[in-house]
Amino acid sequence: ETGVTQSPTHLIKTRGQQVTLRCSSQSGHNTVSWYQQALGQGPQFIFQYYREEENGRGNFPPRFSGLQFPNYSSELNVNALELDDSALYLCASSTGAPLNEQFFGPGTRLTVL
Amino acid sequence: ILNVEQSPQSLHVQEGDSTNFTCSFPSSNFYALHWYRWETAKSPEALFVMTLNGDEKKKGRISATLNTKEGYSYLYIKGSQPEDSATYLCAFLDNFNKFYFGSGTKLNVKP
């Protein structure tokens, strides 16, 4: 059974640029959630995708967007990067039922200069 | 904005001590409460998913209780070991399929 993987591990961008982060779900999982964790805080829910459709969204602006592919892998896109977007971005996959455990990837550390 | 509070923020105990910490959440629109353990340089790992008021779950030396009416959950670790050192996160799942995480309790167990 393959775990959740994320790429890249680290990324440095400048203000105003765009970034795409990638997540491969654990085998058999059809739901992916994305989180932003700023220093000293808990993960903040960005959105969730279930079978290629957005299935819940947190309080993030529209410049945070996502996709889920037929193989249930996922992308998080952030446009017009701001300094405050510097954070660890985590994805988590599950089988879709809300009561099921989420399995997290190792995260992507994004630094915006 | 929905608040999930965890206390204490950090905790230092000796090996063999038992410890507990708290997660407070809104009592309305409750769907489920998740507990995660996050070791440094690793991914968060699910410990428990709890849904029913009065629920109690156990995994080895770790257990958790849930009170949805008053909006809190306790996590207990019996006989702490150095390998229990980690940040423990709780996450509230509401009826609208949104997760709200607390900031975590960082536990350090000294040998």
Side-chain angles (χ1 to χ4, degrees), chain B residues 27-98:
Chain B
S27 52
S28 58
N29 294 317
F30 175 87
Y31 195 91
L33 195 283
H34 292 225
W35 278 102
Y36 293 88
R37 176 185 134 113
W38 195 355
E39 290 180 72
T40 304
K42 293 189 177 179
S43 306
E45 172 196 354
L47 288 173
F48 305 112
V49 179
M50 309 177 79
T51 57
L52 299 174
N53 185 44
D55 211 1
E56 185 168 339
K57 296 220 171 178
K58 190 174 179 182
K59 190 183 278 191
R61 294 179 292 97
I62 304 177
S63 60
T65 60
L66 180 68
N67 183 322
T68 60
K69 292 185 179 177
E70 295 180 42
Y72 64 84
S73 176
Y74 294 139
L75 189 80
Y76 300 91
I77 302 178
K78 186 177 176 182
S80 302
Q81 300 296 307
E83 57 264 31
D84 295 329
S85 296
T87 296
Y88 291 83
L89 292 164
C90 67
F92 168 86
L93 176 62
D94 71 10
N95 287 328
F96 306 103
N97 206 32
K98 291 185 184 179

Side-chain angles (χ1 to χ4, degrees), chain A residues 45-66:
Chain A
F45 176 65
I46 303 175
F47 42 56
Q48 183 183 86
Y49 277 81
Y50 170 68
R51 294 190 174 182
E52 302 178 60
E53 298 283 333
E54 190 178 285
N55 188 39
R57 189 177 179 94
N59 296 322
F60 280 81
R63 59 189 186 83
F64 285 78
S65 62

Side-chain angles (χ1 to χ4, degrees), chain A residues 1-5 24-30 93-95 101-104:
Chain A
E1 189 178 79
T2 310
V4 179
T5 61
S24 291
S25 306
Q26 185 158 310
S27 176
H29 289 182
N30 55 19
S93 73
S94 66
T95 57
E101 298 172 347
Q102 296 186 95
F103 292 80
F104 281 84

Side-chain angles (χ1 to χ4, degrees), chain A residues 31-103:
Chain A
T31 302
V32 173
S33 300
W34 283 93
Y35 298 88
Q36 180 196 66
Q37 195 205 18
L39 209 59
Q41 297 181 21
Q44 301 290 310
F45 176 65
I46 303 175
F47 42 56
Q48 183 183 86
Y49 277 81
Y50 170 68
R51 294 190 174 182
E52 302 178 60
E53 298 283 333
E54 190 178 285
N55 188 39
R57 189 177 179 94
N59 296 322
F60 280 81
R63 59 189 186 83
F64 285 78
S65 62
L67 277 175
Q68 189 180 30
F69 299 100
N71 67 355
Y72 302 131
S73 66
S74 177
E75 284 182 357
L76 164 65
N77 298 292
V78 187
N79 292 324
L81 283 167
E82 301 177 0
L83 297 179
D84 285 350
D85 296 333
S86 295
L88 179 68
Y89 289 84
L90 293 162
C91 78
S93 73
S94 66
T95 57
L99 303 183
N100 287 351
E101 298 172 347
Q102 296 186 95
F103 292 80

